[in-house]
Structure formats: structure tokens, C-alpha cells
Amino acid sequence: MNIIVTIKQVPDPDIPPIHFKVDEAAGKVVPPPGVAPVMNGYDANALEAALKLKEAHGGRVTAITLGGQEARDTLKRAVAMGADAAVLIDDPNLREGDSFTTATALARAIEKVGEYDLILCGRQASDTDAGQVPLGLGEILGLPTISPVIAIESTNGGVKAHRMIEDGQQVIEAQLPAVMAVSSEIGEPRYPPLRGIMMAGRTQIPVWTAADLGLDDGSAAPKVQLRRLYIESREQACELVDGDTPEEIAAALAQKLREAKLI
Amino acid sequence: MLNYFDVELSDEERLVQRTTRDWIDAEAMPLIAECFEAGQFPAQLIPRLAELGLLGASLPKYGAGLPYSCYGLICQELERCDTGLRSFVSVQSSLCMYPIYTFGTEEQKERYLPKMVRGELIACFGLTEPDHGSDPSSMETRVEPDGDGWVLNGTKMWITNGTIADLAIIWARSPDGIRGFAVETDTPGFSAREVHHKLSLRASVTAELHFQDVRLPGSAILPGTTGLGSALKCLNEARFGIAWGTVGAAMACFESALEYSKIRPQFGKPIAGFQLTQLKLADMLTAITQGQLLALQLGRLKDSGRLRPVQVSVAKRANSMMALEVARTARTILGGNGISLEHPIFRHMVNLETVITYEGTHEIHSLVIGQDLTGLAAYS
């Protein structure tokens, strides 16, 4: 089973909130100094799922990312974990795009990679939390798309996905090829073994531009217009509810919550 | 990673450092204080260390064959958790796999190295004796030829991994000088006793080894060993790891103290806002950065084959004392809280008291450097 995993490099979500800054004028997130970006968590889950399917059924795993040269680190991590190949899409015109731009560029790159049975994505990226790209990929490529997926089984000629829904799980069978957006329940990603890191060091990662993907005509131009990027200010206030007995305190608390229209 | 001077690492180095750190943070950090308090080595981590390839990481063919700079970064991250963890990996990799690979026969390599990489065979290194620490050339442990084999008698002291080892690399005086032997620890006459009541390296196994007429096969000798110099080569490998590891311990202490200083109010403001605290932070940052740059250059020299043993002495000596001083300073920022195991500093501090002593004491390394500078030996 040949699998393509789409991966995004994101700012480390573990940085303290105080280090998260945006440049309002430029409408951009300011990368925190001295903190290396990381592989998006759900994408790491998707890669782990792909590697497990490859171990069980054979095939080839290819990781693709859209990003700058610094995104090579994330692709090398993917190869070190066990991906067979990696592709970097790097073009200044694509980097400033939206989910549509990303989905279009990834779709073209996936077509260029060629043979594939399954496309695995993370359900959403921790920087924007949009979750649009997997669905966009399915739309552009005309493939069945399932999200969010917490388990994948290979069936005879197809695939069975366990999809998380509000009150349980839905089991969906799909023909291949298909797109699946994977959630963390699918399993913790492995650490890249050092032997894998050595291999990754020797792996050539091709770089594809918009022109290589036939997108230099502006057809991947963003559909979303960013009006304003800012960090919402938060105010915290603490009020101690007083009373002589626990019952009185509870009654006073209930009254206040009612006044605040919280209950 | 604390990287105030934007130290440039290769893609490979960054990935190795990051992977080791992520694993340490997830699986080793949560255990370590409890292990230290209980006086136990976290042996449950051995299979994971092996799975990640952290045992014998720089060994060609058997290990991942990583550049030494990567091995150094691994040591840094391991010791950022605890010196005991780094010591385990140093002993297994530098003190035991290295001599088998360098001085052993093909048969010995095939018999031991694959299992050592997989963590299925644990080894220890026996050079120091109860009465001979800095002066190993006076060792009393002896091997005598006996038929087609050898008979080993003697005692070794302060042996990391001693009671959990399946194999011991033992240095003993033979009729033709000091030689190294691969001694399987289930050989009759071999016994190991754990050293208790330690106030340092509590998350590490330390033992005394005793050999009573231990009958060794002729194949136990590491044929490439040609005297004490062979043992010292192994130590030099391990000291390389110490020069890096201590930077990790210092980083852990600094980061703990920095965070604490920002949230600890006294006299109405965080203590980070006082000049004396800032002076301590600035001094620690400077010392760690110097140590980091020294370790990095040490790695670059080793990877390019230009490293002189005395340069390892300089770096081991400088960085272990640097880390100890950083730990002591960091402890003062935490005040009374600094002595608690809830913070990593005091644990690192007492560990580092061992580190300035083992693998060549601070004083002996001073003499190694002194001899290199003056041409005059001042050991006796």
C-alpha cells in the first residue's frame, strides 16, 4: 500500500503563551526566537499510522510538506521515523496562501508523486486549527475523504476507517485511493531511531516550486482575505463568595452565576 | 536547548538532540527524582535506550555510526536528566563497546556488540581498585596464564553497572603487562557487591567487583590491548561524553533557577528583578555558553580526527567544574527550596561532585595539562 502523508511544520505548541507574538501590521505570527519549529502533532500521528500500515502490508510512504527551507528538518524527521521519501514544496507565492492554496499545491504534488493508495493528513494543524486542507485535498483530487479518523484497517481492496463522532464511533468502508484526516487516538508517533536519523541525513529531498506543479498561473491564489491578526486580550477577575455556612455560600454563588447568566 | 550564541548544528545534530530531548522529557524525567531518592537505576529505560539507538550510537557497523558531535549531544541531553543515566550510556558505549570494537577479535565483536546495542547485554568497566584510583599503573589485580586460559584474582572498586552487568571489561596485570579482558560475570569466582549509602549518583548502580580464582578462557583477552594506554584510550572516549554531559546538567540547573527567579516574589517583586540574582544568572549563562562552545569544538576536532587527548582533559576538567559551580549558584537562587528533590538542582549538584572526581580527577587532569604545557611530569 503506497501512502502519502502531508505534513506541516508549526511553531512548537509547547512554548509558553508569553512567547507567542504576532506582527499585527504584517498579519503574521512572529516565530519565537531560539525555539525550533516542530512537526504538527496530528501529522506525526498520521505518519505513525502510515508507517504501521506499511509495516503490516508493505508499500512506500512519502511525506510532503509546503514550507520554507527550514521545513526540511521536519521532512528529515519523517524520513528518520521511517518514511521512504520526502518532497518539499517551496515557493514564495505559495507560502503566503490559505488552506485552499495549501490543498491545491499538495494535490498537484501528490499527482506528481504518482502512484498512491492512501493519503493521510493530520486532522488539523496546531497553528491555525483550521482542518480544511484534508477536505480540500479530497475535493480537488475527487477522492472519498474521512475525518477525523482514529483507526484504519486494510480490507480486501479497500480500507475501513473508524471515525470519531459525538456519541461513539462510525465505521466507514472506502475504496482506494482515499484521503483520511487522522486524529491523535490513532497512536503515539514513534521517536526516530538514530539509525534512521543517519539515513535521513543521506536522503535527497527534492524541492518543487509553483512552476514545477503548474501553479505559476495564480490558480492557487488564496480565497481567504485576512482582515486582522491579533491576540485577543484576556482579563481575569476573582471574586470570593462569602457566607457563614456552606449552604449560604452555595446559595450566594448560585445567585451570582444566575446574575451572570451562566446558569 | 539553551543556545544563547546561536550555535549552528547540522540537520542531523539538531534531529539527534531534539529526539533525545523529547524522549528524555517524556519518559525519563518523570522517573528520575524518585529513582534518585530510592537509590535505584531506572533499568526500565534500558530497552528504550536501545530501541532509539542510544547505546553505541557512534560505533560503525554495529551502532548507528553517528558523528561524535551527535554522541556528545546525546550525552548532553541524557545528563540534563541525570548524570546516572548518562553514566550508564557512557559505560556501555565508550568504556565497553569501544574497547571490544577497537581491541577485540571478530569473534568477540560478533558475540557481544549486537547484544550490547540491543541492550540485552549490559557491561561494566573495571580499572579502579580500592587502593589505586589516580594511579592505576600500580593495580594489584592479576591474571596468570593457566593452560590454554587465564586465572584472574583481585578487586575493582567504584564500578558503574557492576551488579547489573553480564560482561565486565577488566584490566589486569599479566606477565607481559596490563591487558584488558572480557569477563562474563557468571563465571565462577566472579562476585559483585553494590555500594550503598551513596549521597551522589543515587540513580546509578555502583559496585565493588571481586575475583577469586576466576578461570577465563584464552579467548577472554582483548588481543589489541597493549598496556595501560589501552585502558586510558577508553577513558578518553568516556571523558568526551562527560565534557558534553556536564553542559546538559548545567543547563538543567540554570533553566530551573531562571524559571524560579521569575515566579518567586520577595520584597514585593520577583527575585529575578534584583541585581544580585541577575548577576548570578549572567554568570551562569556565560559559563554554560563557554562550556557549550568548548564541547562543540571538541566534537568538531574529534570528528575531523584532529583531537589530542590533552584537549579532552581540558574540556572534561573545565566543564565538570563549570557545571558544579553553576549548580551551586543555581541552588542559592532557589534558597531553601533548592535543597529539595522537587527541583533538579541539588540532585545535579551532588552528582557533579562525583563527576569532578571520576574518569580522572580534576587534579590529575590539571597535571595532564601541566605536563603537556611544560614537558615535565608532576605526578609523583
Side-chain angles (χ1 to χ4, degrees), chain B residues 143-169:
Chain B
V143 281
E144 298 294 339
D146 179 58
D148 57 356
W150 307 84
V151 175
L152 173 71
N153 277 289
T155 305
K156 296 290 179 183
M157 190 63 189
W158 303 118
I159 307 305
T160 300
N161 298 351
T163 54
I164 59 168
D166 308 290
L167 178 73
I169 303 299

Side-chain angles (χ1 to χ4, degrees), chain B residues 14-33:
Chain B
R14 268 201 307 279
L15 198 44
V16 166
Q17 187 265 332
R18 179 85 203 195
T19 302
T20 312
R21 173 164 295 206
D22 287 350
W23 175 72
I24 289 282
D25 284 347
E27 296 185 26
M29 286 293 193
L31 304 176
I32 200 66

Side-chain angles (χ1 to χ4, degrees), chain A residues 12 34 36 38 72-73 76-77 80 191-195 197-198 200-201, chain B residues 11-12 14 18-19 23 26 48 52-53 57 61-66 74:
Chain A
D12 191 336
V38 297
R72 279 175 180 279
D73 270 6
K76 286 203 168 168
R77 188 179 180 92
Y191 293 97
L194 298 191
R195 254 182 208 285
I197 293 175
M198 285 296 284
Chain B
D11 293 353
E12 203 171 54
R14 268 201 307 279
R18 179 85 203 195
T19 302
W23 175 72
R48 297 289 282 140
L52 285 169
K61 184 177 170 189
Y62 297 96
L66 286 177
I74 291 169

Side-chain angles (χ1 to χ4, degrees), chain B residues 122-179:
Chain B
I122 306 305
C124 66
F125 177 92
L127 176 66
T128 298
E129 299 186 354
D131 295 327
H132 307 282
S134 292
D135 178 21
S137 62
S138 305
M139 69 170 62
E140 293 170 44
T141 298
R142 290 174 186 279
V143 281
E144 298 294 339
D146 179 58
D148 57 356
W150 307 84
V151 175
L152 173 71
N153 277 289
T155 305
K156 296 290 179 183
M157 190 63 189
W158 303 118
I159 307 305
T160 300
N161 298 351
T163 54
I164 59 168
D166 308 290
L167 178 73
I169 303 299
I170 299 298
W171 300 87
R173 187 178 299 287
S174 77
D176 61 340
I178 292 170
R179 308 292 297 273

Side-chain angles (χ1 to χ4, degrees), chain B residues 50-321:
Chain B
E51 209 174 291
L52 285 169
L54 296 173
L55 304 178
S58 53
L59 212 61
K61 184 177 170 189
Y62 297 96
L66 286 177
Y68 277 95
S69 54
C70 289
Y71 174 56
L73 286 163
I74 291 169
C75 290
Q76 173 191 297
E77 296 305 321
L78 291 170
E79 196 150 355
R80 182 175 150 268
C81 177
D82 194 86
T83 303
L85 196 55
R86 200 267 306 139
S87 295
F88 173 83
V89 172
S90 284
V91 169
Q92 180 84 349
S93 307
S94 295
L95 291 183
C96 297
M97 295 174 78
Y98 169 81
I100 294 169
Y101 183 79
T102 309
F103 306 121
T105 60
E106 281 308 311
E107 193 193 344
Q108 286 168 332
K109 291 179 203 178
E110 288 301 319
R111 181 175 172 85
Y112 298 124
L113 293 178
K115 284 186 183 170
M116 291 173 83
V117 167
R118 295 196 298 268
E120 293 162 9
L121 189 144
I122 306 305
C124 66
F125 177 92
L127 176 66
T128 298
E129 299 186 354
D131 295 327
H132 307 282
S134 292
D135 178 21
S137 62
S138 305
M139 69 170 62
E140 293 170 44
T141 298
R142 290 174 186 279
V143 281
E144 298 294 339
D146 179 58
D148 57 356
W150 307 84
V151 175
L152 173 71
N153 277 289
T155 305
K156 296 290 179 183
M157 190 63 189
W158 303 118
I159 307 305
T160 300
N161 298 351
T163 54
I164 59 168
D166 308 290
L167 178 73
I169 303 299
I170 299 298
W171 300 87
R173 187 178 299 287
S174 77
D176 61 340
I178 292 170
R179 308 292 297 273
F181 293 83
V183 180
E184 296 183 12
T185 59
D186 58 359
T187 313
F190 184 106
S191 59
R193 189 175 59 82
E194 188 163 356
V195 175
H196 293 291
H197 310 300
K198 289 182 299 175
L199 296 175
S200 174
L201 278 184
R202 289 187 54 76
S204 173
V205 172
T206 310
E208 177 181 338
L209 308 182
H210 189 63
F211 321 118
Q212 176 83 46
D213 295 327
V214 178
R215 182 86 175 73
L216 301 176
S219 60
I221 193 166
L222 297 171
T225 56
T226 54
L228 187 61
S230 303
L232 298 183
K233 271 190 181 170
C234 305
L235 290 176
N236 234 31
E237 293 289 307
R239 288 166 188 154
F240 174 87
I242 295 174
W244 282 84
T246 44
V247 174
M251 283 177 180
C253 295
F254 172 76
E255 281 161 3
S256 175
L258 177 62
E259 285 310 307
Y260 183 90
S261 71
K262 289 196 268 192
I263 57 168
R264 168 74 173 177
Q266 288 292 289
F267 303 103
K269 65 175 179 181
I271 58 171
F274 291 99
Q275 289 185 347
L276 281 178
T277 308
Q278 292 191 0
L279 176 66
K280 290 175 188 178
L281 292 170
D283 282 346
M284 287 194 287
L285 174 88
T286 307
I288 295 168
T289 300
Q290 287 168 338
Q292 187 178 30
L293 295 173
L294 182 58
L296 195 73
Q297 178 61 7
L298 197 73
R300 300 280 180 255
L301 286 174
K302 191 160 173 66
D303 279 323
S304 63
R306 291 178 293 141
L307 183 65
R308 296 167 57 219
V310 67
Q311 290 168 323
V312 182
S313 285
V314 171
K316 187 270 178 185
R317 179 179 179 275
N319 282 2
S320 30
M321 190 54 85

